[in-house]
Amino acid sequence: MSLSNSYNQNTKKKHSFFSFLNYGEVSGIKEKLIAISLFVCGILSIFITIGIIFALFSEAISFFMRPEVNLWTFLTGTNWRPLASKVVPENFGVRPLIQGTLLIAVISALIAIPLGLGSAIYLSEYSSSRIRNVVKPLLEILAGVPTVVYGYFALSFITPLIISFFEDTLGVEVRFFNALSAAIVVGIMIIPTVASISEDAMRAVPRSLREGAYALGATKFEVSTKVVVPAALSGIISAFILGISRAIGETMAVTIAAGATPRLTWNPLESVQTMTSFIVQVSFGDAPAGSINGQSIFAVGATLFVMTFLMNIISDLIVKRFREVYN
Amino acid sequence: MNSDQITEREFVYREKIELRKKLGQIFYLTLVLAILFGLFMLAVLLIDVGIEGGPWLKSQIFTNYHSRFPEEAGMKSAIVGSLIVTLLTGLFSFPIGVGAAIYLEEYAPKNKLTDFINLNVNNLSGVPSIVFGMLGLMVFGRMFGLFSPNSWLVSTFNIPVNDGSSGGLIFNLFTIPWLEIHLPFGRSMVAGALTMTLLILPVVIISSREAIRAIPSSIREAGYALGTTKWHVISTLILPISMPGILTGMILSLSRAIGETAPLIIMGAFTYVPFLPESIWDKFTVIPIQIYNWITLPQADYRIHLAGAGIIVMLVLLFLLNGIAVFLRNKFEVKW
């Protein structure tokens, strides 16, 4: 009896936040206390987001309230010299950091997108399930390797290769710490992200679509590229965006391999500094709370957060808006 | 139809199908090359680390602290720090993550708040780890400066705080000596573990939810049919059945936490800690930070060889944890 009762209450109070407390199965003080504490765990994630926004922006705002800094020159200025002896707004332009970040993100996307998409098509369309069960976990190890190891790999293996190729073969000058080396390892690191999300999207394409195309006489290549990939396009594009957003937020590999020279350049053989590696550099130098450097990392961190957050939202929207739903 | 007599259209078709098949073969080869590239780089990375670091993997890595002489340098304090921080992270994130998963799967009504929590958990899992470090620094490390000598909280309530870097408020909870609490958490292992908890919480929630969702509703209904309460069904049926899946996700998240460097650097973990921690309020370092520290040193012995040896230790630890997770999943997973 109480069950049917609660069912009625359920349907009535469907939109109330605490309707879960009125289910018939949740009777008695103990049950309700447990339900409330689980609810607190559930909404904690919202407080984490609020905490991130509050922590980043409260410090960032006190950074911009300083007379030495100015929001406009921060966004448009082309010099980032926070450690210079002269503390003037002209030394706090974040564009070199953003451009360094984008330079590495673009090159790593150029590596990871074709390789990740190719791997995804192979795993979803061509491989037997036996090969897939072996290859996919192996590929995902790449995503599980700690990023500091990629930094090490860049310095001990990729950078010497780049230097011997460009300097000794082509005669072009290369910095030891260069954006290309960091971008290559970041690209390798995000292959599994791109591959596994794209593959999920392609596997969700129903069999009947493929069979219809085969019945019209299409080859496997044509089915894969003209039927499956277009049908899964929203998922594939969101995989690309998530991969790039990971590359933007990547920290240790770029800190180790790309150097610490904020520079407004599109030359990948130069040393650059990304937003993340600036934050690490300052944190390592023990900037005291309330100092201009201690606050500048929060301004940079807020910029980074906004960029990756927007990309994640866009990727979400693309999936929701353009997803083809098959039954 | 006689096979010798080919119409013109069929001739064109046959010529084209040859081309199309060729194209398909080239495409297939490209795909195989794409996936082999990823696997090849993984192999090169492991071999590179093995060659450079392998000969330096001696007992001093586990028994010594960092030293000015590369032959004597080790990372004892980093290994201990990593283990304690990871253990604490597990203790903090397990109840919260599983609690949130239970709420979202079993209790949450279909309303806007639930949708918002779902969206939020998914978005948090895409936030760069370094941002969690900054959150941890403000919330746990500094507590927004609430316990510094000149804050409004301290002056209003006349709280007896200490000055200096290890300052703030120190008291014993319920006056039990070993239940010491330091406010703010500063650069201690507690602050590091809580920061890591925030970082892995979205992943723990998502994987625990998947484990709980895999249980068919007939199991729940069987429990309710016996007239039990909701929590009784959860604690005696849902949790025991989904525990292998939950633990697998938990271990995988913790192994991610072991390899994370940036949040702890931001939060204020140290690079040189020449002693073992005596309490969870001590300063600490972890394996990846020690490796990073060695990579940044100019001598090749540190930069290449010792760092390589440290990486081998960390990777072995990670493979062991992942092995346990895979074992748990294969051994105890229930297929419905």
Side-chain angles (χ1 to χ4, degrees):
Chain A
M1 189 191 84
S2 83
L3 253 175
S4 73
N5 222 343
S6 81
Y7 182 71
N8 286 336
Q9 279 177 3
N10 264 348
T11 44
K12 248 186 272 166
K13 295 199 171 180
K14 213 163 194 174
H15 293 288
S16 153
F17 282 179
F18 293 101
S19 57
F20 66 91
L21 288 176
N22 298 324
Y23 298 166
E25 317 90 272
V26 188
S27 55
I29 294 291
K30 184 189 150 204
E31 287 284 320
K32 290 204 195 309
L33 282 180
I34 289 171
I36 289 172
S37 46
L38 293 174
F39 172 73
V40 170
C41 294
I43 58 165
L44 190 71
S45 71
I46 294 180
F47 286 106
I48 296 178
T49 306
I50 295 173
I52 288 177
I53 293 171
F54 182 71
L56 289 182
F57 286 89
S58 66
E59 283 290 287
I61 286 169
S62 28
F63 173 73
F64 290 123
M65 299 288 270
R66 284 171 171 273
E68 308 97 309
V69 204
N70 172 313
L71 181 61
W72 180 247
T73 54
F74 176 79
L75 291 175
T76 58
T78 53
N79 283 313
W80 185 257
R81 285 192 294 256
L83 305 169
S85 53
K86 220 167 98 193
V87 187
V88 288
E90 283 70 43
N91 282 344
F92 288 95
V94 79
R95 262 182 59 197
L97 296 185
I98 292 184
Q99 191 159 331
T101 307
L102 289 182
L103 174 63
I104 287 175
V106 166
I107 299 175
S108 59
L110 288 179
I111 294 167
I113 285 179
L115 290 174
L117 184 58
S119 308
I121 296 176
Y122 177 80
L123 287 174
S124 149
E125 303 300 311
Y126 284 83
S127 72
S128 65
S129 65
R130 251 182 63 214
I131 293 181
R132 189 176 168 273
N133 287 344
V134 177
V135 168
K136 203 181 175 199
L138 279 178
L139 199 63
E140 280 176 357
I141 293 180
L142 278 179
V145 172
T147 57
V148 69
V149 178
Y150 281 104
Y152 173 87
F153 181 56
L155 280 196
S156 70
F157 189 82
I158 306 278
T159 302
L161 270 187
I162 290 175
I163 290 178
S164 75
F165 178 73
F166 281 97
E167 283 204 334
D168 305 347
T169 317
L170 301 180
V172 188
E173 198 199 341
V174 185
R175 298 293 174 125
F176 181 71
F177 295 106
N178 59 71
L180 183 60
S181 176
I184 289 174
V185 289
V186 174
I188 295 170
M189 190 188 309
I190 59 177
I191 289 175
T193 309
V194 176
S196 82
I197 303 175
S198 317
E199 195 216 336
D200 285 346
M202 282 188 252
R203 284 169 74 86
V205 174
R207 225 184 132 88
S208 54
L209 248 69
R210 297 184 180 87
E211 280 163 0
Y214 283 129
L216 292 175
T219 63
K220 191 151 198 164
F221 163 61
E222 288 155 353
V223 172
S224 303
T225 54
K226 294 182 183 161
V227 176
V228 178
V229 169
L233 200 60
S234 70
I236 292 172
I237 289 176
S238 99
F240 292 170
I241 297 177
L242 283 182
I244 296 172
S245 142
R246 262 203 77 184
I248 289 177
E250 213 311 294
T251 309
M252 291 322 288
V254 295
T255 307
I256 292 169
T261 331
R263 189 179 279 138
L264 207 60
T265 177
W266 288 113
N267 179 1
L269 301 178
E270 289 268 15
S271 159
V272 297
Q273 187 167 43
T274 65
M275 295 188 274
T276 49
S277 62
F278 169 72
I279 297 172
V280 169
Q281 186 197 13
V282 170
S283 302
F284 235 39
D286 250 350
S291 70
I292 189 159
N293 278 319
Q295 289 178 337
S296 70
I297 63 170
F298 285 90
V300 175
T303 316
L304 173 72
F305 176 73
V306 169
M307 281 173 75
T308 51
F309 193 76
L310 283 180
M311 294 185 79
N312 293 349
I313 297 265
I314 290 172
S315 127
D316 250 25
L317 285 180
I318 287 178
V319 172
K320 286 220 177 77
R321 174 75 182 73
F322 296 104
R323 183 168 54 192
E324 312 266 346
V325 181
Y326 305 100
N327 289 315
Chain B
M1 192 171 69
N2 195 328
S3 63
D4 297 342
Q5 295 171 315
I6 304 175
T7 62
E8 198 183 340
R9 280 181 68 165
E10 219 180 317
F11 182 75
V12 172
Y13 168 77
R14 284 194 181 174
E15 211 173 39
K16 267 196 158 172
I17 193 85
E18 288 306 314
L19 188 76
R20 286 161 63 197
K21 281 185 174 160
K22 268 262 146 50
L23 215 61
Q25 280 165 354
I26 295 171
F27 183 66
Y28 176 71
L29 271 178
T30 326
L31 295 184
V32 171
L33 284 179
I35 198 150
L36 282 181
F37 180 81
L39 300 179
F40 174 71
M41 288 323 280
L42 177 66
V44 170
L45 187 151
L46 294 177
I47 292 169
D48 176 53
V49 170
I51 288 176
E52 305 286 8
W56 281 67
L57 191 64
K58 301 183 208 115
S59 64
Q60 98 276 355
I61 290 271
F62 302 96
T63 57
N64 290 13
Y65 301 110
H66 175 65
S67 152
R68 279 190 300 124
F69 307 103
E71 297 80 20
E72 292 173 11
M75 50 180 201
K76 187 176 168 186
S77 54
I79 293 173
V80 174
S82 267
L83 292 179
I84 298 178
V85 169
T86 309
L87 196 72
L88 286 175
T89 307
L91 287 180
F92 295 144
S93 55
F94 183 80
I96 304 175
V98 177
I102 294 173
Y103 171 75
L104 289 171
E105 283 299 316
E106 302 289 325
Y107 288 86
K110 271 204 168 64
N111 60 25
K112 289 218 168 96
L113 180 69
T114 308
D115 289 345
F116 186 64
I117 295 177
N118 285 331
L119 179 75
N120 193 46
V121 170
N122 285 335
N123 270 329
L124 273 182
S125 64
V127 170
S129 60
I130 195 167
V131 170
F132 284 99
M134 305 179 88
L135 173 68
L137 172 67
M138 286 306 286
V139 175
F140 305 124
R142 295 186 190 152
M143 297 199 167
F144 297 101
L146 281 182
F147 294 94
S148 64
N150 47 7
S151 84
W152 60 268
L153 190 76
V154 171
S155 48
T156 319
F157 295 97
N158 228 348
I159 302 173
V161 293
N162 304 329
D163 249 336
S165 59
S166 63
L169 184 65
I170 300 177
F171 64 98
N172 294 328
L173 197 64
F174 311 123
T175 62
I176 303 172
W178 49 268
L179 266 183
E180 196 176 87
I181 305 272
H182 293 216
L183 294 176
F185 296 152
R187 303 166 79 168
S188 67
M189 286 193 275
V190 176
L194 284 170
T195 306
M196 282 301 181
T197 302
L198 298 185
L199 173 71
I200 66 169
L201 204 53
V203 192
V204 173
I205 294 176
I206 290 171
S207 63
S208 307
R209 285 187 72 172
E210 270 163 21
I212 293 174
R213 201 180 305 150
I215 300 174
S217 57
S218 56
I219 298 284
R220 294 176 186 88
E221 281 152 15
Y224 291 134
L226 296 174
T228 58
T229 59
K230 188 150 194 132
W231 177 245
H232 198 243
V233 167
I234 292 170
S235 59
T236 57
L237 288 172
I238 307 290
L239 277 181
I241 295 174
S242 59
M243 201 41 78
I246 292 176
L247 286 181
T248 304
M250 189 74 221
I251 294 173
L252 291 179
S253 320
L254 283 180
S255 69
R256 187 183 156 202
I258 290 182
E260 277 291 348
T261 325
L264 291 181
I265 290 180
I266 311 304
M267 206 279 312
F270 289 78
T271 46
Y272 179 57
V273 180
F275 55 82
L276 291 185
E278 283 171 359
S279 85
I280 51 174
W281 301 102
D282 275 341
K283 60 180 189 176
F284 70 104
T285 189
V286 292
I287 299 175
I289 294 184
Q290 182 66 70
I291 293 169
Y292 172 62
N293 186 29
W294 282 337
I295 291 177
T296 54
L297 293 175
Q299 302 96 317
D301 279 349
Y302 286 118
R303 204 159 46 83
I304 303 291
H305 300 305
L306 212 48
I311 287 173
I312 294 175
V313 173
M314 179 166 68
L315 288 182
V316 167
L317 189 64
L318 292 182
F319 280 127
L320 278 180
L321 274 177
N322 281 282
I324 294 173
V326 171
F327 171 78
L328 269 180
R329 181 161 54 197
N330 294 343
K331 174 107 181 153
F332 296 106
E333 194 183 40
V334 188
K335 284 261 188 307
W336 303 98

